[in-house]
Amino acid sequence: MERMSSSLQSWVEEHKLSTIGAVWATAVGASVAYSRRRAPARATSLRLIHARMHAQALTLAVLGGAALAHHYYGKSSSAGKRQEDLDYGFYSQLPPATDADGNENERWSW
C-alpha cells in the first residue's frame, strides 16, 4: 500500500492541473447525478449552477489541502533542490537576438 501511495503521490505531483480538473469534473458529474435523483423536477440550469458551486467548493478544499501538504511535506526536500533543477544551459543554446553590428537576428524578428 505504501508503494502505491507514493506512486500515486508522484503522479499527482507531475500532473497537478489534470488532477484538479479531474476532481472538478467528477464533482460536477456527481452533483448533477445526485440532484437529478433527489429532485427530478428541478430545472437543468439550476442543477448546473448548484453543481458548479459544489465543484468549486470541493476544488478549493483540494487546493487548500494540497497547499498544506506542500507546506508541511515539501518544505524540507524542495528547498535545496529548486536551484539545482533550473536548467539555464537551455538559454545559452539560443541564437543571439542581434549580431555583432547590432542588426536584429532574423530568427527573432516577426
Side-chain angles (χ1 to χ4, degrees):
M1 186 68 177
E2 178 69 30
R3 185 175 178 186
M4 187 174 86
S5 174
S6 65
S7 66
L8 179 66
Q9 184 179 3
S10 65
W11 187 89
V12 167
E13 184 119 354
E14 288 288 321
H15 302 92
K16 290 175 187 152
L17 291 178
S18 299
T19 303
I20 292 169
V23 165
W24 184 85
T26 303
V28 167
S31 182
V32 166
Y34 178 75
S35 173
R36 188 174 210 167
R37 184 171 185 211
R38 191 171 145 236
R42 190 179 283 172
T44 305
S45 61
L46 190 58
R47 276 190 214 138
L48 287 175
I49 290 169
H50 285 165
R52 285 178 50 203
M53 286 178 16
H54 295 147
Q56 185 174 4
L58 180 64
T59 303
L60 287 174
V62 167
L63 285 173
L68 285 174
H70 179 74
H71 178 71
Y72 287 113
Y73 298 125
K75 202 171 195 177
S76 62
S77 64
S78 66
K81 228 181 356 179
R82 268 194 200 141
Q83 199 65 3
E84 296 168 3
D85 286 345
L86 296 175
D87 182 21
Y88 292 116
F90 168 77
Y91 295 106
S92 65
Q93 297 174 9
L94 292 174
T98 57
D99 60 10
D101 297 330
N103 300 323
E104 188 174 283
N105 188 339
E106 60 188 45
R107 287 187 174 178
W108 290 99
S109 63
W110 293 98

